[in-house]
Amino acid sequence: MIEKFKRTQDQLMEAEKMSALTGMVVGVAHELNTPLGISVTSLSLLSEQLDDVANKFSDKTITTDDLNRFLQIANECVEMIVSNINRSVALVSKLKQINQKMTAEEAKVINLKQLLDDAVLHEQGILSNKSIGIEIECDESLQLFLPPISLQCVLEELLNNSAVHGFVGEDSHQERVIMISANETNGKLNIVVEDNGVGISPENQKKIFQPFFTTLRAKGGTGLGMHMVYNICTQKLAGVIDVKSEVNKGTRIALSIDTLAAVTQ
């Protein structure tokens, strides 16, 4: 009976993995289709305009206005192509990054406070640019045996996500702060990343970990950062992640990682 239950559980897990993979493939196809489609359309228009100018030049009927109009259209087409190709490249690069972060990594002894400081340092550019202060509450002597690259990747992505999405526009009346607290209790590492930013609507909270979900697509957002955080946290680090947020008050993201299970992943 127990063996049958375990077999059924394994089958359900495999079905869930296949469903997630199918969703990812469909998402990738959809996300790449738009910029590549725009690029193809722009190239087609550019080719038509080039043929038109070439014919007029051959017939010796081309005018200065014809040439100026062609140059204007060509410039717009090239800008559109470059922008959308770069968008496609960024998406593929992000997918490769997710794959690299999900590969096997050996655990080792880390000083958690130092790792938190390193994560903040790597995101200092955007934090300084947005005038965001960082407060860290962690025992400086806390040592843990964990995969360091995976954990730091999660922390950096959470900091970046908070800076990009949590602090938008001008709100100079309020000090911008991201607070990080961490402690270890009974084999569980608990990390909380909390900001006093704009918060997340209840509707978007349900989608935050979905691949390709982003509220900043027009500004180049891929919607893969928090999806990567969820996968690394739940799979490589054998943890759970919880999001609580209130509009105009801030967002709190809590990680709970089983330090023993994370080593065996």
Side-chain angles (χ1 to χ4, degrees):
M1 187 69 179
I2 295 176
E3 185 179 341
K4 184 178 179 181
F5 174 76
K6 187 176 185 306
R7 197 162 51 241
T8 302
Q9 189 179 41
D10 290 341
Q11 290 173 347
L12 288 172
M13 288 177 65
E14 286 302 315
E16 187 177 342
K17 288 180 182 178
M18 288 304 297
S19 176
L21 178 60
T22 300
M24 174 67 83
V25 171
V26 171
V28 170
H30 175 74
E31 289 298 314
L32 285 176
N33 183 64
T34 300
L36 292 179
I38 293 173
S39 298
V40 169
T41 301
S42 298
L43 280 170
S44 177
L45 176 60
L46 183 58
S47 178
E48 290 177 4
Q49 293 297 317
L50 185 59
D51 287 342
D52 184 50
V53 167
N55 290 332
K56 288 181 178 180
F57 181 80
S58 178
D59 295 340
K60 298 181 179 180
T61 58
I62 192 169
T63 66
T64 301
D65 287 342
D66 290 332
L67 187 57
N68 287 334
R69 185 165 57 252
F70 168 74
L71 291 174
Q72 180 181 352
I73 294 174
N75 185 58
E76 292 174 355
C77 286
V78 169
E79 286 183 356
M80 191 75 71
I81 293 166
V82 170
S83 173
N84 283 277
I85 291 297
N86 284 339
R87 180 179 169 188
S88 300
V89 170
L91 177 60
V92 173
S93 177
K94 192 71 175 182
L95 288 169
K96 288 173 65 178
Q97 182 185 6
I98 292 175
N99 180 62
Q100 291 168 354
K101 299 299 183 184
M102 291 304 295
T103 54
E105 177 196 354
E106 289 187 8
K108 67 179 184 180
V109 177
I110 62 170
N111 179 286
L112 185 60
K113 177 60 165 58
Q114 183 62 56
L115 187 140
L116 294 175
D117 288 338
D118 289 343
V120 171
L121 182 62
H122 287 178
E123 296 299 320
Q124 196 58 54
I126 188 169
L127 295 172
S128 297
N129 186 51
K130 291 203 166 191
S131 302
I132 302 171
I134 299 292
E135 297 178 4
I136 300 178
E137 183 180 323
C138 178
D139 185 347
E140 294 193 2
S141 64
L142 181 56
Q143 306 263 349
L144 295 168
F145 192 65
L146 285 170
I149 298 176
S150 299
L151 182 56
Q152 186 166 329
C153 174
V154 166
L155 292 167
E156 289 177 11
E157 195 64 47
L158 289 178
L159 287 169
N160 183 272
N161 189 76
S162 179
V164 171
H165 296 273
F167 301 99
V168 294
E170 296 295 330
D171 53 357
S172 55
H173 65 284
Q174 174 178 272
E175 183 182 5
R176 298 178 170 191
V177 180
I178 297 176
M179 294 152 284
I180 307 171
S181 61
N183 62 76
E184 190 264 344
T185 307
N186 299 324
K188 294 279 189 182
L189 170 60
N190 303 299
I191 300 177
V192 174
V193 179
E194 188 171 5
D195 67 55
N196 62 343
V198 299
I200 308 168
S201 69
E203 180 183 355
N204 287 345
Q205 286 182 53
K206 299 174 184 177
K207 308 174 186 176
I208 191 172
F209 297 123
Q210 292 180 9
F212 305 108
F213 172 73
T214 178
T215 56
L216 295 178
R217 192 172 309 283
K219 295 185 178 180
T222 62
L224 290 171
M226 292 302 287
H227 177 65
M228 178 174 67
V229 164
Y230 180 82
N231 282 338
I232 294 177
C233 184
T234 58
Q235 296 180 33
K236 282 194 74 173
L237 298 176
V240 294
I241 182 168
D242 178 65
V243 178
K244 287 184 172 60
S245 186
E246 193 172 343
V247 175
N248 296 325
K249 289 194 175 181
T251 299
R252 181 182 187 274
I253 299 180
L255 310 177
S256 180
I257 298 168
D258 186 328
T259 55
L260 180 61
V263 172
T264 59
Q265 290 300 300

